[in-house]
């Protein structure tokens, strides 16, 4: 079964959970890297991988080839899950609940390995490049709020602006970073 | 093995969950297979809402989803024996003026689409996609400004809805992204509407129509096809010719055959119900459906495939207005029109059937019965042959006076109907959803109001807290307020109000009897409509305020009547009709009950013996009608409050003797006890 292509495995996975597990083993790291690059949050990425896999399993009968490889279909699901995560600031978990899955705890070793998945050295340079494109005000706001974990009232006092303005600057900075680093790996 | 230990543990957990829940998954995949089957069996749909929210001219249909690759058998519930109205939800427009026009199954439950009309009638509408796992609890998925949404399906790429934006056809996905569909011609004034969508085993098909607003209006059916849901083409077929009016309203898919229904009209006032059929979505054949109507407007609004046959539903002309009708075909080419009298409204009222779905042991169709001055949703059921139909007369103990059903779908567990509820009193429509079989939690209904403890002393003023939650209620609640006045008060009546913060609402007007007073009110008939909250009840009209002795939520079985008047203020106090609706859960015998003006002196209208109003039903008291030498005869549902002017042999509906004086009008029971009242706004 290991010799089968993704698409061949997908056909088998409709009735054989072992085939789906093989596909999962092929996809899991790709998916984790995909989500981690976009969220920089290993816990959220773990949630999103689990939900994406559960959704793909539940929807396995909906995929039909139509000249689209199954991995592209899978990334479609991942993209929708990411969009929902961004809107709700959390993974939905609906498919996991439907399957009765309980997400395992994340451990420090896994967190370190996840960092490796996205080639942090290269990613760091991308991040530095993106940070350099931010305005000074946005960069300072981001540093105070995200790195120093200061409350918005302190961020506002440091920047000499209102609390609302500080929130807007942090929000915009994060949005810019997300946009500039959005290119797929 | 992954380099990330967590991912290995997640894979193990996934395998465990799937393996251990195999029976549950078998059930889930049955649901999913059902979803696939449904696309073969039931058409894509729409709701066609012309001329605002008038249920008399609304037709609609539905679709279900999926696209099977393997042979499967129909797995749906049997025809439900019980039905229930789902509590109003802000998701489908409790406060949003949304009508829910189409519904479809998904692997997780149900998805539906609707359109919210703006309050001011000038802004653009808002398309709404909502979803539910059980058909009962709904939540909003996305809202799209400026879009009418008519139908929804689920394909390989998730939810796909269709509709119109700026008079151009669009599709919308579950994330709210809007894609314009291609159109053949862009010049001239034209409105192109996508009305129905279905997933096929090779992509999607959308149907609709194109209206060209030239001096001589003309219209033709429109069809789009896609292999992947992303790239679309407009079908240019000889079967889509120009007519005075032509529209494709619904479609269904079975084993690669796409079958759509609608109408074509060569001249105003008449139409031919029509089928369009194709094996590839590109080449179409147009087939006239047989009709037993001699002229007039006959339309096929919905279609489904199940139990080896196509079933189309719609309406045809009759003496009392449109009447429901249905057609059956085993091959999609040769059709038979059914002549079943059950496909009519209650008491033969005008009827439109909008949508049909197959279930395990037959078919279920929905539409609405047009009962002056309101409409009521109606469900018809048939066995697997679809040749013999039964109408279910349902009580709907909701607060809405007029209901319409537009779409129906079913998964393995439940049948879901969507539509709209129109409240004449508030001139508002909102989404409405019914489910069958009814879950036990909905069968009994939910009391709207609960009375709190009385505060204050027996010798002084008292107030009572009244908690009201109208948004979650499916049943009206009757409340009685009893109080006592100071000696020598000199009052004829007392106004009982509820107050919360800046909001004060008149609860009821209590007629005094000595030092006592009592009034009764149905909590779903207050203006303004109370929001959820706890209100303080006070009785005014005298200083110091009257004492409230008790406030009581009346027990189940207490008659709950809603009165709704229809009148034209600009023509003076001429009430046109009064609807007496039984909002409770039990039938009411109105014999000996009366309609009286405020003050209860003559004239009054006494209901004759044998006047039964079923739970959820209405009778209408007409104040207008044909002139002549005698009043029109009463029926079981229509009564006429009129009298012959003796010296002229002329029927008087109130112009001379003011049967209704333009103020408060009440229903009193056989003992003269107040039951309900209505006052023009």
């Amino acid at each position: 079964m290991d010799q089968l292509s993704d698409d061949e495995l997908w056909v088998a996975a409709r009735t054989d959970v072992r085939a789906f597990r093989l596909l999962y083993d092929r996809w899991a790291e790709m998916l984790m890297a995909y989500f981690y690059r976009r969220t920089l949050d290993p816990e959220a990425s773990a949630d999103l991988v689990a939900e994406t896999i559960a959704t793909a399993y539940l929807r396995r009968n909906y995929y039909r080839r139509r000249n689209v490889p199954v991995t592209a279909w899978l990334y479609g699901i991942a993209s929708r899950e990411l969009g929902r995560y961004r809107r709700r600031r959390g993974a939905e978990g609906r498919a996991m609940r439907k399957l009765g899955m309980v997400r395992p705890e994340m451990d420090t070793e896994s967190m370190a390995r996840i960092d490796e998945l996205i080639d942090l050295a290269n990613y760091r340079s991308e991040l530095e490049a993106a940070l350099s494109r931010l305005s000074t005000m946005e960069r300072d706001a981001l540093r105070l709020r995200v790195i120093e974990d200061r409350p918005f009232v302190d961020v506002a006092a440091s920047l000499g602006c209102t609390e609302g303005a500080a929130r807007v600057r942090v929000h915009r900075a994060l949005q810019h970073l997300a946009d500039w680093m959005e290119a797929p790996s | 093995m992954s380099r990330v230990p967590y991912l290995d543990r997640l894979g193990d957990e996934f395998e465990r969950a799937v393996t251990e829940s195999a029976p549950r998954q078998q059930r889930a995949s049955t649901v999913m297979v059902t979803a696939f089957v449904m696309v073969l069996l039931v058409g894509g749909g729409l709701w066609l809402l012309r001329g605002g929210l008038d249920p008399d001219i609304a037709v609609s249909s539905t679709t279900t989803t999926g696209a099977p690759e393997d042979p499967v058998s129909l797995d749906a519930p049997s025809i439900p024996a019980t039905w229930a109205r789902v509590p109003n939800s802000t998701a489908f427009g409790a406060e949003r003026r949304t009508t829910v026009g189409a519904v479809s199954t998904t692997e997780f439950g149900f998805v539906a689409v609707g359109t919210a009309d703006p309050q001011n009638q000038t802004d653009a509408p808002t398309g709404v996609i909502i979803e539910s796992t059980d058909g009962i609890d709904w939540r909003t998925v996305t809202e799209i400004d400026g879009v009418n949404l008519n139908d929804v399906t689920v394909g390989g790429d998730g939810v796909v809805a269709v509709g119109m934006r700026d008079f151009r056809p669009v599709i919308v996905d579950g994330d709210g992204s809007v894609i314009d569909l291609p159109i053949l011609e862009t010049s001239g004034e034209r409105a192109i509407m996508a009305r129905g969508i279905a997933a096929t085993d090779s992509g999607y098909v959308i149907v609709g129509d194109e209206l060209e607003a030239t001096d001589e209006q003309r219209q033709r059916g429109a069809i789009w096809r896609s292999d992947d849901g992303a790239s679309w083409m407009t079908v240019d077929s000889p079967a889509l010719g120009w007519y005075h009016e032509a529209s494709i309203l619904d479609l269904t898919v079975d084993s690669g055959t796409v079958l759509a229904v609608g109408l074509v009209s060569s001249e105003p006032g008449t139409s031919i119900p029509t089928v369009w059929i194709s094996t590839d979505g590109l080449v179409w054949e147009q087939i006239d459906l047989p009709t037993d109507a001699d002229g007039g407007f006959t339309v096929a609004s919905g279609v489904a495939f199940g139990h080896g046959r196509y079933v189309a539903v719609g309406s045809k002309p009759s003496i009392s207005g449109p009447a429901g009708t249905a057609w059956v075909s085993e091959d999609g080419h040769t059709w038979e029109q059914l002549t079943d009298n059950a496909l009519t409204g209650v008491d033969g009222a005008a009827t439109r059937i909008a949508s049909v779905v197959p279930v395990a042991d037959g078919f279920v169709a929905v539409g609405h019965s047009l009962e002056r001055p309101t409409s009521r949703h109606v469900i018809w059921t048939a066995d697997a042959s679809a040749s013999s139909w039964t109408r279910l007369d349902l009580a709907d103990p909701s607060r809405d006076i007029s209901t319409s059903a537009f779409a129906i779908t079913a998964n393995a567990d439940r049948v879901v109907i969507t539509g709209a509820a129109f409240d004449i009193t508030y001139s508002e429509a909102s989404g409405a959803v019914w489910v069958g079989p009814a879950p036990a939690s909905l069968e009994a209904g939910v009391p709207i109001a609960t009375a709190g403890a009385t505060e204050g002393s027996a010798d002084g003023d008292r107030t009572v807290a009244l908690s009201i939650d109208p948004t979650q209620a499916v049943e009206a609640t009757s409340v009685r307020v009893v109080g006592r006045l100071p000696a020598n008060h000199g009052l004829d009546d007392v106004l009982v109000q509820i107050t919360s913060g800046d909001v004060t609402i008149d609860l009821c007007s209590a007629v005094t009897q000595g030092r006592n007073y009592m009034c009764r009110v149905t909590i779903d008939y207050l203006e303004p409509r109370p929001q959820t909250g706890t209100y303080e009840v006070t009785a005014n009209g005298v200083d110091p305020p009257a004492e409230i002795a008790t406030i009581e939520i009346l027990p189940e079985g207490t008659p709950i009547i809603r009165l709704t008047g229809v009148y034209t203020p600009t023509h003076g106090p001429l009430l046109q009709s009064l609807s007496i609706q039984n909002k409770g859960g039990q039938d009411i015998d109105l014999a000996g009950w009366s309609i009286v003006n405020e003050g209860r002196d003559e004239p009054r209208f006494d209901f004759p013996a044998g006047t039964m109003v079923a739970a959820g039903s209405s009778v209408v008291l007409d104040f207008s009608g044909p002139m002549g030498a005698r009043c029109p005869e009463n029926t079981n549902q229509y009564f006429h409050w009129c009298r012959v002017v003796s010296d002229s042999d002329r029927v008087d509906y109130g112009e001379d003797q003011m049967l209704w004086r333009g103020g408060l009008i009440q229903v009193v029971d056989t003992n003269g006890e107040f039951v309900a009242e209505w006052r023009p706004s």
Side-chain angles (χ1 to χ4, degrees):
Chain A
M1 197 176 276
D2 279 346
Q3 309 304 316
L4 297 177
S5 70
D6 282 0
D7 286 331
E8 289 167 333
L9 268 181
W10 187 259
V11 173
R14 294 181 60 181
T15 55
D16 186 348
V17 68
R18 291 172 305 168
F20 200 94
R21 173 62 192 264
L22 278 176
L23 281 171
Y24 167 83
D25 289 340
R26 294 181 186 181
W27 293 339
E29 288 189 2
M30 287 191 311
L31 282 174
M32 178 59 81
Y34 172 86
F35 287 124
Y36 188 47
R37 282 180 62 86
R38 286 156 178 79
T39 63
L40 296 179
D41 182 338
E43 293 285 353
S45 300
D47 283 338
L48 288 165
V49 169
E51 183 67 7
T52 300
I53 289 298
T55 300
Y57 181 76
L58 289 172
R59 296 177 65 89
R60 62 195 186 284
N61 288 326
Y62 278 104
Y63 169 72
R64 283 163 287 142
R65 283 190 167 186
R66 297 181 192 160
N67 301 320
V68 178
V70 68
T71 46
W73 179 79
L74 180 74
Y75 274 109
I77 294 176
S79 174
R80 277 193 285 274
E81 292 301 330
L82 184 65
R84 292 192 180 105
Y85 164 80
R86 285 178 171 160
R87 283 195 298 274
R88 297 170 187 165
R89 306 310 302 168
E92 194 166 42
R94 188 169 53 172
M96 285 180 63
R97 287 194 296 276
K98 195 175 179 70
L99 274 182
M101 282 177 69
V102 178
R103 183 171 77 75
E105 289 295 314
M106 180 65 71
D107 58 287
T108 51
E109 182 187 356
S110 292
M111 285 192 182
R113 297 286 176 81
I114 290 170
D115 281 346
E116 293 171 6
L117 288 179
I118 65 168
D119 187 6
L120 267 187
N122 185 41
Y123 194 71
R124 189 173 295 112
S125 65
E126 284 183 37
L127 182 61
E128 286 171 355
L131 282 169
S132 69
R133 295 172 65 182
L134 294 174
S135 70
T136 304
M137 281 297 216
E138 288 176 341
R139 198 162 46 240
D140 289 346
L142 199 62
R143 174 178 54 79
L144 291 166
R145 177 66 185 138
V146 177
I147 299 176
E148 299 181 13
D149 199 22
R150 302 258 294 274
F152 274 112
V153 63
D154 286 357
V155 176
S158 298
L159 298 178
C161 63
T162 64
E163 188 178 336
R167 286 179 187 277
V168 170
R169 283 174 191 167
V170 171
H171 177 71
R172 284 182 178 162
L174 289 171
Q175 269 196 328
H176 285 151
L177 289 180
D179 291 344
W180 294 333
M181 301 182 71
E182 181 64 17
S185 55
Chain B
M1 291 286 289
S2 168
R3 286 176 292 168
V4 182
Y6 162 82
L7 292 175
D8 289 332
R9 295 199 300 277
L10 178 62
D12 293 343
E13 168 61 12
F14 163 77
E15 214 169 332
R16 179 205 63 76
V18 171
T19 304
E20 289 185 3
S21 64
R24 188 155 48 90
Q25 282 307 302
Q26 182 65 39
R27 179 65 168 166
S29 56
T30 300
V31 174
M32 195 151 44
V33 164
T34 302
F36 298 152
V37 174
M38 299 311 290
V39 76
L40 297 179
L41 303 182
V42 189
L46 80 159
W47 61 278
L48 171 64
L49 203 56
R50 304 174 192 162
L53 292 164
D54 184 349
D56 184 50
I57 51 174
V59 294
S60 171
S61 184
T62 185
T63 187
T64 50
T65 66
E69 292 177 329
D70 303 324
V72 289
S73 58
L74 178 63
D75 183 14
S78 299
I79 295 171
T82 57
W83 297 85
R85 170 88 178 271
V86 171
N88 281 352
S89 162
T90 52
F92 53 85
E95 309 297 336
R96 290 289 316 282
R97 304 169 68 90
T98 304
T99 52
V100 187
V103 62
S104 175
T105 55
T106 73
E107 75 270 37
F108 296 118
F110 301 92
V111 62
V113 296
T115 302
D117 274 341
Q119 291 282 349
N120 59 18
Q121 302 293 320
T122 56
D123 292 341
T126 299
V128 181
I129 301 177
I130 62 177
E131 67 177 7
S132 170
T133 55
D134 57 8
I136 297 169
D137 294 320
W138 293 81
R139 71 174 192 89
T140 303
V141 176
T142 188
E143 297 183 5
I144 311 99
D145 288 339
V147 175
N148 285 288
L149 289 181
N150 297 328
D151 195 17
V152 63
T153 191
V154 180
D157 301 310
V159 170
V160 186
V162 297
M164 182 171 75
R165 178 176 66 181
D166 294 334
F167 303 107
R168 292 293 184 267
V170 295
I171 61 172
V172 178
D173 68 18
D175 290 330
S177 301
V178 182
I179 300 173
D180 292 318
L181 287 170
I183 55 179
L184 290 174
E185 297 177 48
T186 58
S187 61
E189 294 285 327
R190 61 187 68 238
I192 308 171
M193 175 82 92
R195 299 189 183 277
I197 180 171
T200 72
D201 55 5
S202 60
Y204 298 89
V205 172
I206 292 174
V207 298
D209 54 63
E210 175 176 5
L211 175 70
E212 188 179 78
T214 56
D215 289 342
E216 293 184 8
Q217 168 192 309
R218 60 178 190 161
Q219 191 176 29
R220 63 179 172 182
I223 297 174
W224 296 265
R225 186 181 177 280
S226 171
D227 287 333
D228 55 12
S231 177
W232 289 85
M233 64 170 292
T234 307
V235 173
D236 192 4
S237 165
L240 302 174
W242 288 103
Y243 292 85
H244 170 71
E245 190 171 352
S247 185
I248 309 179
L249 303 175
D250 192 17
L251 74 167
T252 188
V253 182
D254 170 60
S255 300
T257 297
V258 186
L259 189 142
V261 297
L263 69 117
V264 299
S265 165
S266 298
E267 59 185 36
T270 65
S271 71
I272 299 169
T274 305
V275 160
W276 291 262
I277 189 167
S278 171
T279 55
D280 58 7
L282 294 172
V283 178
W284 291 81
E285 178 185 356
Q286 180 179 343
I287 302 166
D288 292 348
L289 286 173
T291 176
D292 56 11
D294 185 14
F297 214 77
T298 305
V299 56
S301 306
V303 65
F305 183 88
H307 306 290
R309 53 183 53 82
Y310 294 94
V311 175
V313 295
S315 60
K316 63 180 182 179
S318 73
I319 294 174
S320 58
T325 190
W327 298 265
V328 175
S329 171
E330 292 188 357
D331 60 7
H333 289 83
T334 304
W335 290 81
E336 176 190 358
Q337 185 181 20
L338 303 177
T339 54
D340 194 321
N341 290 332
L343 289 165
T344 58
V346 180
D347 292 337
T351 305
R352 292 186 190 277
I353 307 178
S355 183
V356 60
V357 69
V359 292
D361 51 351
F363 294 86
V364 182
V366 295
H368 32 270
S369 171
L370 308 169
E371 304 162 20
R372 292 178 58 204
T374 65
S375 75
R376 187 188 339 171
H377 70 285
V378 180
I379 298 170
W380 295 267
T381 64
D383 61 12
S385 71
S387 60
S388 178
W389 291 79
T390 302
R391 187 185 65 239
L392 304 177
D393 293 337
L394 299 174
D396 184 30
S398 68
R399 64 184 177 181
D400 301 296
I401 190 169
S402 186
T403 52
S404 299
F406 296 144
I408 184 170
T409 192
N411 67 11
D413 301 314
R414 184 159 285 155
V415 179
V416 172
I417 297 168
T418 63
F422 186 80
D423 190 322
I424 287 177
T425 308
Y426 298 103
S427 296
E428 286 180 359
S430 67
V433 175
W434 297 264
V435 295
S441 61
L442 292 182
E443 282 188 296
V446 182
I448 295 176
T450 51
T454 302
E455 295 179 354
S457 68
D459 299 327
D461 303 336
R462 296 189 191 189
T463 59
V464 178
L466 185 65
S467 297
I468 301 176
D469 185 2
T471 60
Q472 291 303 310
V474 295
E475 185 174 81
T477 301
S478 193
V479 172
R480 178 164 53 200
V481 180
V482 178
R484 190 166 173 79
L485 290 161
N488 304 317
H489 57 82
L491 296 171
D492 293 328
D493 53 38
V494 173
L495 181 63
V496 180
Q497 296 179 314
I498 56 175
T499 305
S500 176
D502 296 333
V503 178
T504 298
I505 301 170
D506 293 345
L507 192 67
C508 51
S509 179
V511 177
T512 60
Q513 294 177 327
R515 290 183 60 191
N516 301 316
Y517 67 87
M518 190 277 288
C519 65
R520 200 173 112 186
V521 66
T522 299
I523 304 285
D524 78 340
Y525 186 54
L526 300 174
E527 293 185 81
R529 187 177 296 182
Q531 301 298 306
T532 300
T534 300
Y535 293 79
E536 181 183 84
V537 185
T538 56
N540 301 310
V542 65
D543 187 22
E547 171 187 317
I548 293 176
T550 59
I551 182 162
E552 179 185 5
I553 307 300
L554 296 178
E556 188 177 349
T558 302
I560 299 177
I561 291 285
R562 167 183 278 194
L563 290 183
T564 303
V566 177
Y567 76 115
T568 308
T570 54
H571 287 74
L574 291 178
L575 193 62
Q576 294 170 349
S577 66
L578 187 71
S579 167
I580 301 103
Q581 186 181 24
N582 178 0
K583 300 287 287 184
Q586 300 180 0
D587 298 352
I588 296 176
D589 185 356
L590 289 184
W593 291 31
S594 302
I595 302 289
V596 295
N597 284 286
E598 192 170 14
R600 305 191 180 186
D601 52 356
E602 294 295 329
R604 60 193 293 150
F605 176 82
D606 298 321
F607 286 98
T611 307
M612 293 296 296
V613 188
S617 297
S618 303
V619 296
V620 175
L621 183 59
D622 250 327
F623 293 74
S624 60
M627 306 305 291
R630 66 179 65 179
C631 287
E633 289 186 8
N634 295 328
T635 68
N636 290 336
Q637 191 179 12
Y638 297 104
F639 300 89
H640 300 271
W641 192 0
C642 56
R643 53 191 168 193
V644 177
V645 180
S646 57
D647 58 355
S648 68
D649 286 342
R650 182 172 63 81
V651 172
D652 172 31
Y653 291 95
E655 294 91 334
D656 295 338
Q657 301 185 38
M658 304 297 281
L659 300 178
W660 173 55
R661 299 203 186 93
L664 184 76
I665 196 164
Q666 295 182 330
V667 178
V668 295
D669 64 16
T670 50
N671 298 319
E673 294 285 337
F674 166 85
V675 178
E677 67 185 18
W678 176 81
R679 185 193 300 274
S681 57

